[in-house]
Amino acid sequence: MRRTTRARGLAAGALTLTMAVTLVACSTDDDASSSPSASSTASASAEPTTTAAPTASAEDVAAVAKIKVTGETGKEPKVTLPETPFTVGALVIRNESDGKGDEIKAGERLSVLQLAVSGADGKTLGSTYPDKEQALLLGSINENLEKELVGKHVGTRVVVASPETADGTATGAPQTNVYVLEVTDAKVVPDRATGEKQAPKDGLPTITLDSKGKPSITPSKADKPTSLVVQPLIKGSGPKVEAGQTVTVKYSGWLWDGTAFDSSWDRDPSTYAVQNIGQGQVITGWNEGLVGQTVGSQVLLVVPPDKGYGDKESGTIPANSTLVFVVDILDAA
């Protein structure tokens, strides 16, 4: 799979920590919009791009220490910057206060509320308070943020100062934005799909699971489907996945002939979080195929070229490829 980078910062409109190059561990192509499919295959390489990030100076840390955050937890805080414009040269994360809820553990899915403030003038850029919680999957975010959260407790608040650009593009004017993130819940994510087995239709690849649930494939000798195939292999008992949610999955992908090209099962962590499913930074076959499936399910997706990469080559995936995925839907929030 290609390893690509995202040039966007913590976009004020999106208000999601996993959109930021400084905070995420996985990313997609900047030129994705030119593709007839969505931006990438399943994860656009769910492995992180290993580029050295700048290190915060003592002056950066001291400046962030002067940011004042006031207000009760659960309610939108007030953020007062020590000066405007407020800038730092590198990402700085500060624990504002610990919570009184359950301890936050590695690998959990967190529900978070977030406030974003412009370092340029101190004005609020956006807020998910009071009740627009977003999902944050530990293991898929910046390791420094994860270290700050793991071991704390539900209710904890952190302050993040992030050097970005005013318009969220790689070439925009430099600007530091400040975020307050509050953890409102922490949930253990299952490690495999569970539910009632479903009989697949004739002509599809045969999927076999090992003792841990990792799938392998026996290719079909039938003609390739020309339209998207969505075949549940295990029917989970959870709620239906809704457009706009963050979906936590494990997946494996093959070409129609059975050639493997990617599997999250081979990585640590093996789970992968898809933001804004339905319009997420994944191929069209995923955006269309996962919405409406139930949490806990395992789904076989056969993705024709027009809902995958089209006539473009992508790493080891040839142009005009029909793709086969087995996706375990572990959580949606």
Side-chain angles (χ1 to χ4, degrees):
M1 294 286 287
R2 282 182 300 184
R3 298 186 179 185
T4 56
T5 57
R6 185 195 304 274
R8 304 172 193 167
L10 259 161
L15 278 178
T16 171
L17 284 169
T18 47
M19 292 290 286
V21 66
T22 50
L23 296 181
V24 294
C26 46
S27 53
T28 58
D29 285 336
D30 294 330
D31 61 354
S33 59
S34 64
S35 172
S37 65
S39 62
S40 59
T41 71
S43 65
S45 169
E47 298 181 54
T49 301
T50 53
T51 55
T55 302
S57 66
E59 290 78 9
D60 289 336
V61 174
V64 172
K66 295 178 181 178
I67 297 173
K68 294 182 179 180
V69 179
T70 56
E72 299 177 16
T73 57
K75 297 182 179 180
E76 183 174 300
K78 179 181 179 181
V79 176
T80 304
L81 304 179
E83 60 182 3
T84 54
F86 178 84
T87 62
V88 292
L91 182 74
V92 179
I93 302 169
R94 181 190 99 201
N95 181 258
E96 175 63 24
S97 62
D98 197 1
K100 297 180 180 179
D102 293 338
E103 181 179 345
I104 298 169
K105 299 177 182 178
E108 290 185 320
R109 190 265 292 160
L110 307 183
S111 296
V112 300
L113 292 167
Q114 186 183 173
L115 172 70
V117 173
S118 168
D121 55 17
K123 293 182 179 180
T124 297
L125 294 171
S127 174
T128 66
Y129 285 85
D131 55 6
K132 295 181 180 179
E133 295 172 318
Q134 296 176 309
L136 197 66
L137 181 64
L138 294 179
S140 298
I141 61 174
N142 174 273
E143 62 180 0
N144 292 320
L145 178 59
E146 178 152 354
K147 288 177 181 178
E148 194 61 57
L149 294 174
V150 172
K152 300 297 192 304
H153 299 81
V154 172
T156 190
R157 272 182 176 173
V158 295
V159 177
V160 180
S162 175
E164 302 166 12
T165 58
D167 61 1
T169 68
T171 57
Q175 175 175 305
T176 291
N177 291 326
V178 175
Y179 303 86
V180 177
L181 178 145
E182 179 180 336
V183 178
T184 59
D185 190 28
K187 179 181 178 181
V188 175
V189 176
D191 59 4
R192 62 184 294 180
T194 56
E196 184 179 351
K197 291 185 178 180
Q198 307 292 298
K201 299 176 182 177
D202 293 338
L204 296 178
T206 299
I207 303 300
T208 304
L209 307 181
D210 68 12
S211 60
K212 295 184 178 180
K214 179 180 178 179
S216 57
I217 189 173
T218 301
S220 171
K221 296 182 180 180
D223 293 338
K224 302 174 185 177
T226 57
S227 58
L228 177 67
V229 175
V230 183
Q231 171 63 62
L233 302 176
I234 297 173
K235 179 72 171 179
S237 59
K240 288 185 177 181
V241 174
E242 298 179 4
Q245 289 186 311
T246 294
V247 181
T248 302
V249 302
K250 288 186 178 180
Y251 70 91
S252 292
W254 303 267
L255 304 181
W256 180 252
D257 66 6
T259 302
F261 60 81
D262 191 19
S263 178
S264 74
W265 290 82
D266 296 331
R267 294 190 287 273
D268 184 17
S270 57
T271 50
Y272 174 67
V274 183
Q275 300 282 333
N276 193 27
I277 190 66
Q279 296 183 355
Q281 298 290 328
V282 288
I283 56 172
T284 302
W286 273 49
N287 277 317
E288 293 184 1
L290 297 185
V291 172
Q293 301 302 311
T294 55
V295 174
S297 295
Q298 182 181 79
V299 182
L300 173 69
L301 300 176
V302 182
V303 182
D306 66 320
K307 295 188 183 297
Y309 275 106
D311 59 1
K312 293 185 178 182
E313 177 183 310
S314 176
T316 61
I317 300 173
N320 298 307
S321 289
T322 295
L323 309 176
V324 179
F325 293 96
V326 173
V327 184
D328 285 25
I329 304 173
L330 306 178
D331 186 63

